[in-house]
Amino acid sequence: KEVAEVDPLAFQCIAGCGYPHRAEGVSLLIVDPESKCVLPDGSVGEVWVASPSKAQGYWGKPEATADDFNASVAPDSSADAETKKRTYLRTGDLAFLHQKELFICGRLKDLIIVRGTNHYPQDIERTAERCEFAKDFLRPGCSAAFSLSGGSTQTEKVVLVAELREGVDKSKLDGILTGCRDAVAAAHGVSLSSVCLIKPRTIPKTTSGKIARSWCRKAFLGKTLQIVREKEASAAAGAEPAANAVSSSADAVRAASG
């Protein structure tokens, strides 16, 4: 059959996480986190899981337990009667199913929404770290992108914090900042309100080594980051640039499978 040529830069490869339906006693759904309706194959939503290994809940937090460990799909959902009887764990992960295979996209709490468009922070971080003017000076996997309330503008502001490698010459810093801003604007249609370059090995991480974006946001607001150089957007740059036409992760997988 005929295969159309595709721009490789317009798509991103995502590793599948297996086939949940093959595990005995496991029910996994992709659910709209607001309406609590089950979403069809290929749609991105929150991962809900029911299984014999599901924990009972949080110690001493009955309300949070009811919300996160005993969630039920909406009565008007398209789910079958058996599914509607079950209670599910809300994982907080965003994902989609494609031909019954699970693909994780990111975390719901980390999702960045700008002018109604969803952006995954890891995509913005990767773009900045790999751009021509920064790839030799930033530590890979040591950046954090997160959003802040836009205040009176009603528009989310997006901040990027990135670790420098050891021994980066100060004369390179302004070029790195500009390069990151331009690359993110071109690839994602997002104007960064602030780009911070921080000292090596100082970005907040979890005990397992993952970037702690919420902690990083808190440190940014509390002015406790070890910043080497920062660049804020000018008032003239406040408007969002036009986004490039980039297909969603689910569309990319569907297209690849023909």
Side-chain angles (χ1 to χ4, degrees):
K1 77 181 182 183
E2 184 178 352
V3 178
E5 291 187 8
V6 178
D7 179 5
L9 298 179
F11 297 92
Q12 178 182 330
C13 292
I14 301 178
C17 299
Y19 298 84
H21 70 285
R22 294 179 180 176
E24 185 177 354
V26 174
S27 173
L28 184 143
L29 307 175
I30 302 298
V31 180
D32 184 310
E34 295 185 2
S35 69
K36 296 185 178 180
C37 289
V38 179
L39 297 173
D41 189 75
S43 298
V44 176
E46 185 180 13
V47 178
W48 287 22
V49 179
S51 74
S53 63
K54 180 170 72 77
Q56 294 183 4
Y58 300 114
W59 177 259
K61 296 182 178 180
E63 293 184 1
T65 294
D67 290 339
D68 294 343
F69 286 84
N70 296 310
S72 300
V73 300
D76 58 346
S77 175
S78 60
D80 57 40
E82 186 63 29
T83 298
K84 290 180 180 180
K85 291 178 182 179
R86 288 177 170 168
T87 58
Y88 288 81
L89 166 68
R90 301 185 61 169
T91 67
D93 291 321
L94 289 172
F96 62 92
L97 289 168
H98 176 70
Q99 297 179 354
K100 297 186 178 181
E101 186 174 7
L102 179 66
F103 293 84
I104 301 292
C105 300
R107 292 285 293 168
L108 181 60
K109 67 178 182 180
D110 289 337
L111 188 66
I112 297 171
I113 305 174
V114 179
R115 298 183 184 275
T117 300
N118 294 345
H119 300 275
Y120 296 103
Q122 60 268 30
D123 294 340
I124 294 175
E125 295 156 7
R126 186 182 299 107
T127 295
E129 292 174 356
R130 295 181 179 180
C131 77
E132 187 64 30
F133 294 97
K135 62 183 181 181
D136 295 329
F137 307 112
L138 299 182
R139 296 189 68 214
C142 295
S143 302
F146 51 87
S147 61
L148 302 174
S149 173
S152 60
T153 66
Q154 301 298 314
T155 300
E156 289 290 292
K157 296 180 179 180
V158 182
V159 176
L160 175 70
V161 176
E163 274 192 14
L164 290 166
R165 295 178 186 264
E166 297 282 359
V168 175
D169 192 287
K170 290 184 178 181
S171 65
K172 304 290 186 181
L173 299 181
D174 287 338
I176 298 170
L177 291 167
T178 301
C180 288
R181 283 183 52 83
D182 291 348
V184 170
H188 306 285
V190 172
S191 178
L192 297 174
S193 64
S194 182
V195 182
C196 301
L197 302 179
I198 61 175
K199 293 181 179 180
R201 298 177 179 83
T202 62
I203 197 164
K205 292 185 177 182
T206 65
T207 54
S208 60
K210 298 178 181 178
I211 296 296
R213 297 184 182 93
S214 59
W215 298 352
C216 199
R217 181 191 294 109
K218 184 176 181 180
F220 175 81
L221 294 173
K223 302 185 184 301
T224 58
L225 292 171
Q226 297 188 44
I227 296 176
V228 177
R229 187 72 60 87
E230 178 179 6
K231 183 176 184 178
E232 296 183 350
S234 63
E240 291 294 326
N244 288 349
V246 179
S247 298
S248 69
S249 299
D251 289 339
V253 172
R254 285 199 296 271
S257 64

Short mmCIF file of all heavy atoms in Angstrom, two decimals, residues 181-239:
data_model
loop_
_atom_site.label_atom_id
_atom_site.label_comp_id
_atom_site.label_asym_id
_atom_site.label_seq_id
_atom_site.Cartn_x
_atom_site.Cartn_y
_atom_site.Cartn_z
N ARG A 181 14.38 30.63 24.03
CA ARG A 181 13.11 31.32 23.78
C ARG A 181 12.67 31.15 22.33
O ARG A 181 11.51 30.83 22.05
CB ARG A 181 13.23 32.81 24.12
CG ARG A 181 13.20 33.13 25.60
CD ARG A 181 13.27 34.64 25.83
NE ARG A 181 12.26 35.32 25.05
CZ ARG A 181 10.98 35.45 25.42
NH1 ARG A 181 10.58 34.94 26.57
NH2 ARG A 181 10.12 36.09 24.66
N ASP A 182 13.60 31.39 21.41
CA ASP A 182 13.26 31.31 19.99
C ASP A 182 12.88 29.89 19.58
O ASP A 182 11.94 29.69 18.80
CB ASP A 182 14.44 31.80 19.15
CG ASP A 182 14.69 33.30 19.29
OD1 ASP A 182 13.82 33.98 19.87
OD2 ASP A 182 15.76 33.77 18.85
N ALA A 183 13.60 28.90 20.09
CA ALA A 183 13.32 27.50 19.73
C ALA A 183 11.96 27.06 20.23
O ALA A 183 11.21 26.39 19.50
CB ALA A 183 14.42 26.60 20.29
N VAL A 184 11.61 27.41 21.45
CA VAL A 184 10.31 27.03 22.01
C VAL A 184 9.18 27.73 21.28
O VAL A 184 8.13 27.13 20.99
CB VAL A 184 10.27 27.34 23.53
CG1 VAL A 184 8.86 27.17 24.08
CG2 VAL A 184 11.24 26.43 24.28
N ALA A 185 9.38 29.01 20.94
CA ALA A 185 8.36 29.74 20.20
C ALA A 185 8.13 29.12 18.83
O ALA A 185 6.98 28.96 18.38
CB ALA A 185 8.76 31.21 20.06
N ALA A 186 9.21 28.74 18.16
CA ALA A 186 9.09 28.18 16.82
C ALA A 186 8.46 26.79 16.83
O ALA A 186 7.64 26.46 15.96
CB ALA A 186 10.47 28.12 16.17
N ALA A 187 8.82 25.96 17.81
CA ALA A 187 8.36 24.57 17.84
C ALA A 187 6.98 24.40 18.46
O ALA A 187 6.22 23.51 18.07
CB ALA A 187 9.37 23.71 18.59
N HIS A 188 6.64 25.25 19.44
CA HIS A 188 5.41 25.04 20.21
C HIS A 188 4.45 26.21 20.17
O HIS A 188 3.34 26.10 20.70
CB HIS A 188 5.77 24.72 21.68
CG HIS A 188 6.72 23.59 21.83
ND1 HIS A 188 6.34 22.27 21.67
CD2 HIS A 188 8.06 23.56 22.10
CE1 HIS A 188 7.40 21.48 21.85
NE2 HIS A 188 8.45 22.24 22.11
N GLY A 189 4.87 27.33 19.60
CA GLY A 189 3.99 28.50 19.59
C GLY A 189 3.78 29.08 20.97
O GLY A 189 2.75 29.67 21.26
N VAL A 190 4.76 28.91 21.84
CA VAL A 190 4.67 29.39 23.22
C VAL A 190 5.74 30.44 23.47
O VAL A 190 6.92 30.21 23.19
CB VAL A 190 4.85 28.23 24.23
CG1 VAL A 190 4.95 28.77 25.66
CG2 VAL A 190 3.70 27.25 24.12
N SER A 191 5.34 31.60 23.98
CA SER A 191 6.28 32.65 24.35
C SER A 191 6.62 32.50 25.83
O SER A 191 5.76 32.64 26.69
CB SER A 191 5.67 34.03 24.09
OG SER A 191 6.56 35.06 24.49
N LEU A 192 7.86 32.17 26.12
CA LEU A 192 8.29 32.00 27.51
C LEU A 192 8.35 33.35 28.20
O LEU A 192 9.00 34.28 27.72
CB LEU A 192 9.66 31.33 27.56
CG LEU A 192 9.74 29.91 26.99
CD1 LEU A 192 11.19 29.44 26.96
CD2 LEU A 192 8.89 28.96 27.80
N SER A 193 7.66 33.45 29.33
CA SER A 193 7.67 34.72 30.07
C SER A 193 8.98 34.93 30.80
O SER A 193 9.39 36.06 31.06
CB SER A 193 6.51 34.77 31.06
OG SER A 193 6.66 33.77 32.05
N SER A 194 9.66 33.83 31.12
CA SER A 194 10.95 33.92 31.80
C SER A 194 11.76 32.65 31.53
O SER A 194 11.21 31.56 31.50
CB SER A 194 10.76 34.08 33.31
OG SER A 194 12.00 34.21 33.98
N VAL A 195 13.06 32.84 31.29
CA VAL A 195 13.99 31.73 31.15
C VAL A 195 15.09 31.93 32.19
O VAL A 195 15.73 32.98 32.23
CB VAL A 195 14.62 31.65 29.74
CG1 VAL A 195 15.55 30.44 29.65
CG2 VAL A 195 13.54 31.58 28.67
N CYS A 196 15.30 30.92 33.04
CA CYS A 196 16.29 31.01 34.10
C CYS A 196 17.37 29.96 33.89
O CYS A 196 17.07 28.78 33.74
CB CYS A 196 15.65 30.79 35.48
SG CYS A 196 14.35 31.95 35.89
N LEU A 197 18.62 30.39 33.89
CA LEU A 197 19.75 29.47 33.86
C LEU A 197 20.29 29.36 35.28
O LEU A 197 20.59 30.38 35.91
CB LEU A 197 20.84 29.98 32.91
CG LEU A 197 20.40 30.20 31.46
CD1 LEU A 197 21.56 30.74 30.64
CD2 LEU A 197 19.86 28.92 30.85
N ILE A 198 20.35 28.14 35.80
CA ILE A 198 20.76 27.95 37.19
C ILE A 198 22.05 27.13 37.27
O ILE A 198 22.47 26.52 36.30
CB ILE A 198 19.65 27.29 38.02
CG1 ILE A 198 19.32 25.89 37.47
CG2 ILE A 198 18.40 28.17 38.03
CD1 ILE A 198 18.30 25.13 38.31
N LYS A 199 22.64 27.14 38.44
CA LYS A 199 23.90 26.43 38.67
C LYS A 199 23.73 24.92 38.47
O LYS A 199 22.64 24.39 38.71
CB LYS A 199 24.43 26.72 40.07
CG LYS A 199 24.86 28.16 40.30
CD LYS A 199 25.40 28.34 41.70
CE LYS A 199 25.85 29.79 41.94
NZ LYS A 199 26.37 29.97 43.32
N PRO A 200 24.78 24.23 38.06
CA PRO A 200 24.70 22.78 37.87
C PRO A 200 24.29 22.05 39.15
O PRO A 200 24.66 22.44 40.25
CB PRO A 200 26.13 22.40 37.46
CG PRO A 200 26.73 23.65 36.92
CD PRO A 200 26.12 24.77 37.70
N ARG A 201 23.47 21.01 38.97
CA ARG A 201 23.04 20.11 40.05
C ARG A 201 22.27 20.82 41.16
O ARG A 201 22.38 20.49 42.33
CB ARG A 201 24.25 19.37 40.64
CG ARG A 201 24.96 18.50 39.62
CD ARG A 201 26.20 17.83 40.22
NE ARG A 201 26.84 16.99 39.20
CZ ARG A 201 27.67 17.42 38.27
NH1 ARG A 201 27.98 18.72 38.22
NH2 ARG A 201 28.20 16.60 37.37
N THR A 202 21.48 21.83 40.78
CA THR A 202 20.68 22.53 41.79
C THR A 202 19.19 22.50 41.51
O THR A 202 18.41 23.00 42.32
CB THR A 202 21.12 24.01 41.91
OG1 THR A 202 20.91 24.68 40.66
CG2 THR A 202 22.60 24.11 42.30
N ILE A 203 18.77 21.92 40.39
CA ILE A 203 17.33 21.90 40.10
C ILE A 203 16.65 20.90 41.04
O ILE A 203 17.19 19.83 41.32
CB ILE A 203 17.08 21.54 38.62
CG1 ILE A 203 15.65 21.92 38.23
CG2 ILE A 203 17.32 20.06 38.35
CD1 ILE A 203 15.42 21.97 36.73
N PRO A 204 15.48 21.25 41.57
CA PRO A 204 14.78 20.33 42.48
C PRO A 204 14.41 19.02 41.80
O PRO A 204 13.85 19.01 40.70
CB PRO A 204 13.53 21.13 42.88
CG PRO A 204 13.90 22.56 42.66
CD PRO A 204 14.80 22.56 41.47
N LYS A 205 14.72 17.92 42.47
CA LYS A 205 14.38 16.59 41.97
C LYS A 205 13.79 15.76 43.10
O LYS A 205 14.04 16.02 44.28
CB LYS A 205 15.60 15.88 41.40
CG LYS A 205 16.16 16.49 40.13
CD LYS A 205 17.30 15.65 39.56
CE LYS A 205 17.83 16.21 38.26
NZ LYS A 205 18.91 15.38 37.67
N THR A 206 13.03 14.74 42.72
CA THR A 206 12.49 13.81 43.71
C THR A 206 13.60 12.85 44.15
O THR A 206 14.69 12.83 43.58
CB THR A 206 11.33 13.00 43.12
OG1 THR A 206 11.84 12.16 42.07
CG2 THR A 206 10.27 13.92 42.53
N THR A 207 13.30 12.04 45.16
CA THR A 207 14.29 11.08 45.64
C THR A 207 14.63 10.04 44.59
O THR A 207 15.69 9.42 44.65
CB THR A 207 13.76 10.37 46.90
OG1 THR A 207 12.48 9.79 46.63
CG2 THR A 207 13.61 11.36 48.06
N SER A 208 13.74 9.86 43.61
CA SER A 208 14.01 8.90 42.54
C SER A 208 14.69 9.55 41.34
O SER A 208 14.91 8.88 40.32
CB SER A 208 12.70 8.23 42.09
OG SER A 208 11.78 9.20 41.61
N GLY A 209 15.03 10.83 41.45
CA GLY A 209 15.78 11.50 40.40
C GLY A 209 14.94 12.17 39.33
O GLY A 209 15.48 12.66 38.34
N LYS A 210 13.63 12.23 39.52
CA LYS A 210 12.77 12.89 38.55
C LYS A 210 12.71 14.40 38.82
O LYS A 210 12.81 14.83 39.96
CB LYS A 210 11.36 12.31 38.60
CG LYS A 210 11.28 10.84 38.24
CD LYS A 210 9.86 10.33 38.37
CE LYS A 210 9.76 8.84 38.05
NZ LYS A 210 8.37 8.33 38.21
N ILE A 211 12.52 15.18 37.75
CA ILE A 211 12.38 16.62 37.90
C ILE A 211 11.10 16.91 38.68
O ILE A 211 10.02 16.45 38.32
CB ILE A 211 12.32 17.32 36.53
CG1 ILE A 211 13.64 17.12 35.77
CG2 ILE A 211 12.03 18.80 36.69
CD1 ILE A 211 14.84 17.77 36.43
N ALA A 212 11.23 17.68 39.75
CA ALA A 212 10.08 18.05 40.59
C ALA A 212 9.60 19.43 40.15
O ALA A 212 10.03 20.45 40.69
CB ALA A 212 10.47 18.04 42.07
N ARG A 213 8.71 19.47 39.17
CA ARG A 213 8.29 20.74 38.59
C ARG A 213 7.53 21.61 39.58
O ARG A 213 7.67 22.83 39.58
CB ARG A 213 7.46 20.49 37.33
CG ARG A 213 8.28 19.79 36.23
CD ARG A 213 7.48 19.62 34.94
NE ARG A 213 8.29 18.91 33.95
CZ ARG A 213 8.27 17.60 33.77
NH1 ARG A 213 7.49 16.83 34.54
NH2 ARG A 213 9.03 17.02 32.85
N SER A 214 6.71 20.99 40.42
CA SER A 214 5.96 21.79 41.41
C SER A 214 6.91 22.42 42.43
O SER A 214 6.71 23.57 42.84
CB SER A 214 4.92 20.92 42.11
OG SER A 214 5.52 19.83 42.78
N TRP A 215 7.94 21.69 42.83
CA TRP A 215 8.94 22.25 43.74
C TRP A 215 9.72 23.36 43.06
O TRP A 215 10.08 24.37 43.68
CB TRP A 215 9.91 21.17 44.21
CG TRP A 215 9.28 20.06 44.99
CD1 TRP A 215 7.99 20.00 45.43
CD2 TRP A 215 9.90 18.84 45.41
NE1 TRP A 215 7.76 18.81 46.09
CE2 TRP A 215 8.92 18.08 46.11
CE3 TRP A 215 11.18 18.32 45.27
CZ2 TRP A 215 9.19 16.84 46.64
CZ3 TRP A 215 11.45 17.06 45.80
CH2 TRP A 215 10.47 16.34 46.49
N CYS A 216 9.99 23.16 41.77
CA CYS A 216 10.73 24.17 41.02
C CYS A 216 9.90 25.44 40.89
O CYS A 216 10.43 26.55 41.02
CB CYS A 216 11.06 23.62 39.63
SG CYS A 216 12.39 24.49 38.80
N ARG A 217 8.61 25.30 40.66
CA ARG A 217 7.72 26.47 40.61
C ARG A 217 7.73 27.21 41.94
O ARG A 217 7.82 28.44 41.99
CB ARG A 217 6.30 26.03 40.27
CG ARG A 217 5.31 27.19 40.18
CD ARG A 217 3.88 26.71 40.11
NE ARG A 217 3.59 25.99 38.88
CZ ARG A 217 3.38 24.68 38.81
NH1 ARG A 217 3.42 23.94 39.93
NH2 ARG A 217 3.13 24.09 37.68
N LYS A 218 7.65 26.44 43.02
CA LYS A 218 7.66 27.06 44.35
C LYS A 218 8.98 27.79 44.61
O LYS A 218 8.99 28.90 45.16
CB LYS A 218 7.45 25.97 45.42
CG LYS A 218 7.35 26.50 46.84
CD LYS A 218 7.05 25.37 47.81
CE LYS A 218 6.93 25.90 49.24
NZ LYS A 218 6.64 24.79 50.20
N ALA A 219 10.10 27.19 44.20
CA ALA A 219 11.40 27.82 44.39
C ALA A 219 11.53 29.08 43.53
O ALA A 219 12.13 30.09 43.95
CB ALA A 219 12.51 26.84 44.04
N PHE A 220 10.96 29.05 42.33
CA PHE A 220 11.00 30.23 41.46
C PHE A 220 10.22 31.38 42.09
O PHE A 220 10.70 32.52 42.15
CB PHE A 220 10.41 29.87 40.09
CG PHE A 220 10.28 31.04 39.15
CD1 PHE A 220 11.38 31.50 38.43
CD2 PHE A 220 9.07 31.68 38.98
CE1 PHE A 220 11.27 32.57 37.56
CE2 PHE A 220 8.94 32.76 38.12
CZ PHE A 220 10.04 33.20 37.41
N LEU A 221 9.02 31.08 42.57
CA LEU A 221 8.20 32.12 43.20
C LEU A 221 8.82 32.62 44.50
O LEU A 221 8.70 33.80 44.84
CB LEU A 221 6.79 31.59 43.45
CG LEU A 221 5.97 31.27 42.19
CD1 LEU A 221 4.66 30.59 42.58
CD2 LEU A 221 5.69 32.54 41.40
N GLY A 222 9.47 31.70 45.22
CA GLY A 222 10.10 32.08 46.48
C GLY A 222 11.51 32.65 46.32
O GLY A 222 12.16 32.99 47.32
N LYS A 223 11.96 32.75 45.07
CA LYS A 223 13.28 33.32 44.75
C LYS A 223 14.41 32.58 45.47
O LYS A 223 15.35 33.19 45.98
CB LYS A 223 13.32 34.81 45.07
CG LYS A 223 12.27 35.63 44.33
CD LYS A 223 12.42 37.11 44.58
CE LYS A 223 11.32 37.90 43.91
NZ LYS A 223 11.26 37.70 42.45
N THR A 224 14.32 31.24 45.50
CA THR A 224 15.36 30.45 46.14
C THR A 224 16.18 29.63 45.14
O THR A 224 17.07 28.89 45.55
CB THR A 224 14.74 29.48 47.18
OG1 THR A 224 13.79 28.63 46.54
CG2 THR A 224 14.05 30.27 48.29
N LEU A 225 15.87 29.77 43.84
CA LEU A 225 16.69 29.09 42.84
C LEU A 225 18.06 29.75 42.75
O LEU A 225 18.20 30.97 42.94
CB LEU A 225 16.03 29.17 41.45
CG LEU A 225 14.74 28.38 41.25
CD1 LEU A 225 14.11 28.75 39.90
CD2 LEU A 225 14.99 26.88 41.33
N GLN A 226 19.08 28.96 42.47
CA GLN A 226 20.43 29.50 42.35
C GLN A 226 20.65 29.95 40.90
O GLN A 226 21.31 29.29 40.10
CB GLN A 226 21.46 28.46 42.78
CG GLN A 226 21.33 28.06 44.25
CD GLN A 226 22.47 27.18 44.71
OE1 GLN A 226 23.63 27.42 44.40
NE2 GLN A 226 22.13 26.13 45.45
N ILE A 227 20.10 31.12 40.59
CA ILE A 227 20.07 31.63 39.23
C ILE A 227 21.41 32.28 38.85
O ILE A 227 21.94 33.10 39.60
CB ILE A 227 18.93 32.65 39.06
CG1 ILE A 227 17.57 31.94 39.27
CG2 ILE A 227 18.98 33.30 37.68
CD1 ILE A 227 16.38 32.88 39.22
N VAL A 228 21.90 31.90 37.69
CA VAL A 228 23.11 32.51 37.14
C VAL A 228 22.75 33.66 36.21
O VAL A 228 23.38 34.72 36.23
CB VAL A 228 23.95 31.46 36.37
CG1 VAL A 228 25.17 32.11 35.73
CG2 VAL A 228 24.36 30.33 37.30
N ARG A 229 21.71 33.46 35.39
CA ARG A 229 21.23 34.51 34.48
C ARG A 229 19.76 34.26 34.18
O ARG A 229 19.35 33.12 34.04
CB ARG A 229 22.04 34.52 33.19
CG ARG A 229 21.74 35.67 32.22
CD ARG A 229 22.27 37.00 32.73
NE ARG A 229 23.71 36.97 32.91
CZ ARG A 229 24.60 37.25 31.95
NH1 ARG A 229 24.20 37.55 30.73
NH2 ARG A 229 25.90 37.24 32.22
N GLU A 230 18.97 35.33 34.10
CA GLU A 230 17.55 35.21 33.83
C GLU A 230 17.15 36.23 32.78
O GLU A 230 17.68 37.34 32.74
CB GLU A 230 16.73 35.44 35.11
CG GLU A 230 15.21 35.37 34.89
CD GLU A 230 14.42 35.58 36.18
OE1 GLU A 230 15.06 35.89 37.21
OE2 GLU A 230 13.19 35.44 36.16
N LYS A 231 16.22 35.83 31.93
CA LYS A 231 15.70 36.74 30.92
C LYS A 231 14.19 36.67 30.93
O LYS A 231 13.60 35.60 30.76
CB LYS A 231 16.23 36.37 29.53
CG LYS A 231 15.76 37.34 28.43
CD LYS A 231 16.41 37.00 27.10
CE LYS A 231 16.01 38.02 26.04
NZ LYS A 231 16.66 37.73 24.73
N GLU A 232 13.56 37.83 31.14
CA GLU A 232 12.11 37.90 31.11
C GLU A 232 11.64 38.46 29.78
O GLU A 232 12.36 39.22 29.12
CB GLU A 232 11.60 38.78 32.27
CG GLU A 232 11.92 38.21 33.65
CD GLU A 232 11.33 39.06 34.76
OE1 GLU A 232 10.85 40.17 34.45
OE2 GLU A 232 11.36 38.61 35.91
N ALA A 233 10.43 38.08 29.40
CA ALA A 233 9.88 38.56 28.14
C ALA A 233 9.56 40.03 28.24
O ALA A 233 9.09 40.52 29.28
CB ALA A 233 8.63 37.77 27.78
N SER A 234 9.81 40.77 27.17
CA SER A 234 9.46 42.19 27.12
C SER A 234 7.97 42.32 26.91
O SER A 234 7.29 41.38 26.50
CB SER A 234 10.22 42.89 25.99
OG SER A 234 9.83 42.34 24.74
N ALA A 235 7.45 43.48 27.19
CA ALA A 235 6.00 43.69 27.02
C ALA A 235 5.58 43.47 25.58
O ALA A 235 4.50 42.97 25.29
CB ALA A 235 5.64 45.12 27.45
N ALA A 236 6.49 43.81 24.65
CA ALA A 236 6.17 43.66 23.23
C ALA A 236 6.08 42.19 22.83
O ALA A 236 5.44 41.84 21.86
CB ALA A 236 7.23 44.35 22.37
N ALA A 237 6.76 41.33 23.61
CA ALA A 237 6.76 39.91 23.27
C ALA A 237 5.68 39.14 24.00
O ALA A 237 5.66 37.93 23.99
CB ALA A 237 8.13 39.30 23.61
N GLY A 238 4.76 39.88 24.62
CA GLY A 238 3.74 39.21 25.43
C GLY A 238 2.75 38.39 24.63
O GLY A 238 2.19 37.44 25.13
N ALA A 239 2.53 38.79 23.37
CA ALA A 239 1.56 38.05 22.57
C ALA A 239 2.12 36.70 22.15
O ALA A 239 3.29 36.58 21.85
CB ALA A 239 1.19 38.85 21.32
#
